[in-house]
């Protein structure tokens, strides 16, 4: 098979390209920009384009498939050429479905927790020697490529994003995967540029649930009021509501309370203990017993940037997290507050996504950082201009968050200086963003902050 990727440098796209290369396919690709780690990883497998840019001459009649990334525009010259030649064009969700249409597909959807739940399921299946294919949106410890495709595995575990499938396909990605076992972790309005009202956003999850066949299962979080109502009205034959798994914290360690006794975990936080229950029911749907699940989940260390410990010393710690939406922000801060009730909690977040950088949506952040002792928000005026959005101000952000002592930065150098000069001891610093604070290396910063502690 010969496949060509248009926009090969994307996170999911380059992982899929490597997975197909490992499967023995002939893989080529193009992009107008490729950053690390995608650049080095594509080079390692011999599929890094030899030049940056779009090259219609690379689109030839002998290609079996074109895989189109979301980053490409509808007038992309390679896409235009592929259409002229009548080649088969797939979005990467469509291609993943093609590769898994004869398998049991566990699709994890929801406004938050998707990566963690997907990662938990993959970890438990592997620990129990159950072969599975997968696609997950974050790097996991012990995994080099976050897409696996094989002929042998009877199960595929897919992180199911609700964003658009491709520039020429306006369906949400998770609809394309056609779930056998479908999970929805929660519903909190996001992607307002695509789903302009909350009702339209909720409708996408209802469509997803109603796609599940009679021999499948719909697993949903009943702690979410909107999702509980959705779960009650969908017509799926087999439903499994879930909430937080019973647990307790002792000496800074979270323990699951199970019939076989307490199980110590590496992860923590009520939201993670809720995600864990979703994973438990999904694993049960493909034959994993509760006892085997608990034994396996004890060694799960979490996904990259999901409450990931960056640095620590005798009394202070630095964590980073992907949290950016209001619900994610609140859950992550609450988790750290519960785990370290006696420490000074400094929460720092970046407004980075399209939604978060619009004045109308900012009001959704009211109270989101109230559990922190000190709250800091960073935004980049340059990012707002690049997204062609109206400017926002520090005053708008302060009003939206509803916290008089909120500190707002629009200069990453000043933010970095502020964090490096913190004098507090017995502190937890929590850095939260789906971006990178305009080039700040959070790992390096965290280690330096810890080394400067008295």
């Amino acid at each position: 098979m010969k496949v060509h990727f248009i926009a090969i440098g994307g996170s999911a796209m380059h992982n899929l390209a490597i997975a197909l290369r490992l499967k023995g396919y002939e893989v080529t690709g193009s992009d107008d920009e490729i950053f690390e780690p995608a650049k080095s990883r594509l080079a390692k497998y011999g599929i890094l384009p030899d030049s940056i840019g779009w090259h219609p001459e690379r689109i030839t009649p002998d290609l079996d498939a074109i895989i189109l990334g979301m980053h490409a525009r509808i007038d992309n010259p390679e896409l235009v050429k592929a259409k002229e030649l009548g080649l088969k064009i797939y979005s990467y969700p469509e291609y993943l479905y093609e590769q898994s249409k004869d398998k049991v597909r566990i699709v994890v959807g929801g406004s938050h927790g998707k990566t963690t739940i997907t990662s938990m399921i993959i970890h438990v299946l592997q620990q129990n020697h159950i072969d599975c294919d997968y696609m997950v949106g974050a790097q996991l410890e012990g995994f080099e490529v976050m897409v696996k495709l094989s002929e042998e595995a009877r199960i595929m575990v897919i992180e199911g994003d609700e964003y658009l499938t491709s520039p020429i396909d306006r369906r949400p990605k998770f609809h394309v995967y056609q779930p056998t076992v479908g999970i929805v972790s929660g519903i909190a309005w996001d992607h307002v540029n695509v789903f302009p009202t909350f009702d339209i956003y909720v409708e996408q999850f209802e469509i997803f649930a109603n796609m599940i066949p009679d021999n499948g299962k719909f697993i949903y979080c009943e702690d979410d009021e909107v999702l509980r109502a959705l779960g009650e009205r969908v017509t799926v034959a087999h439903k499994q509501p879930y909430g937080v798994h019973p647990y307790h914290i002792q000496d800074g360690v979270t323990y699951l309370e199970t019939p076989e006794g307490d199980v110590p975990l590496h992860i923590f936080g009520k939201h993670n203990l809720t995600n864990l229950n979703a994973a438990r029911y999904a694993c049960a749907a493909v034959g994993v017993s509760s006892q085997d699940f608990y034994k396996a989940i004890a060694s799960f260390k979490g996904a990259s940037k999901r409450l990931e410990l960056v640095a620590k010393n005798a009394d202070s710690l630095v964590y980073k997290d992907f949290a950016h939406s209001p619900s994610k922000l609140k859950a992550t801060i609450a988790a750290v507050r519960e785990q370290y009730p006696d420490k000074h909690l400094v929460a720092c977040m970046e407004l980075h996504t399209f939604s978060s950088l619009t004045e109308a949506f900012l009001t959704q952040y009211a109270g989101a950082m109230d559990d922190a002792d000190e709250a800091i928000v960073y935004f980049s005026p340059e990012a707002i201009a690049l997204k062609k959005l109206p400017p926002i101000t520090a005053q708008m952000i302060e009003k939206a968050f509803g916290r008089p002592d909120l500190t707002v930065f629009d200069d990453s150098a000043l933010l970095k200086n502020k964090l490096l000069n913190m004098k507090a001891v017995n502190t937890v610093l929590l850095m939260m963003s789906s971006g990178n604070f305009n080039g700040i290396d959070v790992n390096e910063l965290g280690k330096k902050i810890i080394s400067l502690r008295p």
Side-chain angles (χ1 to χ4, degrees):
M1 292 287 288
K2 294 182 67 175
V3 296
H4 179 83
F5 283 73
I6 300 177
I8 197 171
S11 176
M13 289 284 280
H14 89 271
N15 271 290
L16 177 57
I18 293 170
L20 292 177
R21 180 72 183 85
L22 291 171
K23 197 176 179 182
Y25 285 27
E26 185 177 329
V27 177
T28 58
S30 299
D31 213 320
D32 59 356
E33 54 182 12
I34 302 177
F35 300 113
E36 296 294 355
K39 187 175 182 179
S40 295
R41 300 181 76 230
L42 288 169
K44 176 179 177 180
Y45 291 94
I47 50 178
L48 178 69
D50 55 15
S51 60
I52 292 297
W54 310 115
H55 302 276
E57 65 274 13
R58 293 178 180 171
I59 310 303
T60 55
D62 61 335
L63 289 169
D64 294 295
I66 298 291
I67 302 178
L68 179 65
M70 194 64 206
H71 168 62
R73 291 181 169 276
I74 198 165
D75 60 352
N76 182 284
E78 293 190 6
L79 175 60
V80 171
K81 179 73 174 294
K83 287 179 175 179
E84 289 173 355
L85 292 176
L87 297 177
K88 183 63 179 175
I89 301 168
Y90 297 91
S91 63
Y92 88 76
E94 286 177 313
Y95 205 77
L96 286 174
Y97 174 74
E98 282 297 311
Q99 294 278 320
S100 63
K101 59 187 176 184
D102 297 324
K103 303 177 188 285
V104 173
R105 290 175 304 284
I106 302 174
V107 182
V108 184
S111 304
H112 43 74
K114 295 185 292 293
T115 299
T116 297
I117 296 170
T118 307
S119 305
M120 287 176 172
I121 295 168
I122 295 167
H123 177 85
V124 170
L125 293 180
Q126 293 207 334
Q127 289 293 305
N128 283 281
H129 309 291
I130 298 172
D131 193 17
C132 69
D133 289 347
Y134 49 78
M135 188 283 284
V136 61
Q139 196 64 37
L140 305 183
E141 186 176 330
F143 291 75
E144 184 177 8
V145 182
M146 296 323 302
V147 176
K148 179 190 167 214
L149 299 170
S150 70
E151 301 297 336
E152 299 78 22
R154 66 178 182 87
I155 299 167
M156 178 141 188
V157 187
I158 303 173
E159 181 177 343
D161 182 10
E162 69 271 22
Y163 199 69
L164 300 180
T165 293
S166 82
I168 59 174
D169 187 342
R170 307 293 288 180
R171 290 175 297 170
K173 292 185 184 78
F174 66 165
H175 292 179
V176 178
Y177 299 131
Q178 299 186 37
T180 313
V181 176
I183 299 171
V184 178
S185 59
I187 298 177
W189 191 21
D190 201 356
H191 308 306
V192 297
N193 55 320
V194 177
F195 309 113
T197 70
F198 182 62
D199 287 344
I200 293 172
Y201 185 69
V202 172
E203 184 184 11
Q204 310 314 309
F205 294 94
E206 188 161 351
I207 293 169
F208 171 76
N210 281 322
M211 296 176 81
I212 297 169
D214 289 342
N215 64 340
K217 180 169 283 190
F218 179 44
I219 301 168
Y220 65 96
C221 181
E222 62 181 346
D223 292 344
D224 183 307
E225 184 178 340
V226 174
L227 186 49
R228 183 170 63 249
L230 185 153
E232 289 169 355
R233 67 176 178 264
V234 296
T235 57
V236 181
H238 303 286
K239 305 178 192 179
Q240 178 60 67
Y242 69 90
V244 63
H245 194 291
Y247 72 100
H248 65 269
I249 301 169
Q250 183 177 331
D251 299 327
V253 177
T254 295
Y255 292 84
L256 285 182
E257 297 171 359
T258 82
E260 288 79 32
D262 293 346
V263 177
L265 299 175
H266 292 283
I267 58 172
F268 64 88
K270 183 178 178 182
H271 65 303
N272 274 331
L273 277 296
T274 306
N275 292 335
L276 182 148
N277 237 1
R280 181 166 69 95
Y281 286 119
C283 289
V286 290
V288 178
S289 69
S290 289
Q291 185 176 6
D292 288 340
F293 177 86
Y294 291 133
K295 184 178 179 181
I297 203 67
S299 59
F300 179 73
K301 294 182 178 179
S304 175
K305 297 183 183 178
R306 271 67 178 180
L307 271 178
E308 180 182 341
L309 181 62
V310 170
K312 69 175 181 177
N313 61 19
D315 71 358
S316 296
L317 309 97
V318 178
Y319 283 92
K320 65 179 177 181
D321 194 88
F322 194 70
H324 54 87
S325 69
S327 59
K328 293 175 184 175
L329 202 63
K330 195 164 189 175
T332 301
I333 293 171
V336 176
R337 175 83 289 160
E338 182 183 35
Q339 192 76 0
Y340 302 104
D342 300 325
K343 293 190 183 296
H344 182 77
L345 174 52
V346 180
C348 177
M349 72 87 62
E350 178 183 14
L351 296 170
H352 176 71
T353 65
F354 186 100
S355 296
S356 68
L357 292 170
T358 57
E359 184 179 3
F361 189 80
L362 275 175
T363 57
Q364 303 287 321
Y365 284 97
M369 299 183 81
D370 285 358
D371 280 346
D373 296 304
E374 189 175 344
I376 303 168
V377 172
Y378 167 76
F379 74 101
S380 167
E382 292 82 8
I384 294 172
L386 284 171
K387 295 179 193 298
K388 298 185 177 4
L389 293 168
I392 60 174
T393 66
Q395 291 73 28
M396 289 177 189
I397 294 168
E398 290 164 6
K399 181 179 179 182
F401 277 80
R403 184 166 172 156
D405 62 344
L406 184 73
T407 305
V408 180
F409 288 92
D410 62 5
D411 184 316
S412 61
L414 294 178
L415 169 64
K416 186 174 180 179
N417 187 61
K418 157 79 172 176
L419 296 173
L420 285 171
N421 284 283
M422 289 192 308
K423 302 298 183 185
V425 296
N426 197 37
T427 297
V428 181
L429 171 62
L430 176 57
M431 301 287 289
M432 297 169 288
S433 176
S434 60
N436 64 2
F437 293 93
N438 200 27
I440 292 178
D441 185 326
V442 173
N443 288 352
E444 181 184 308
L445 176 67
K447 289 169 186 174
K448 193 165 185 180
I449 289 170
I450 287 297
S451 71
L452 294 173
R453 287 281 187 268

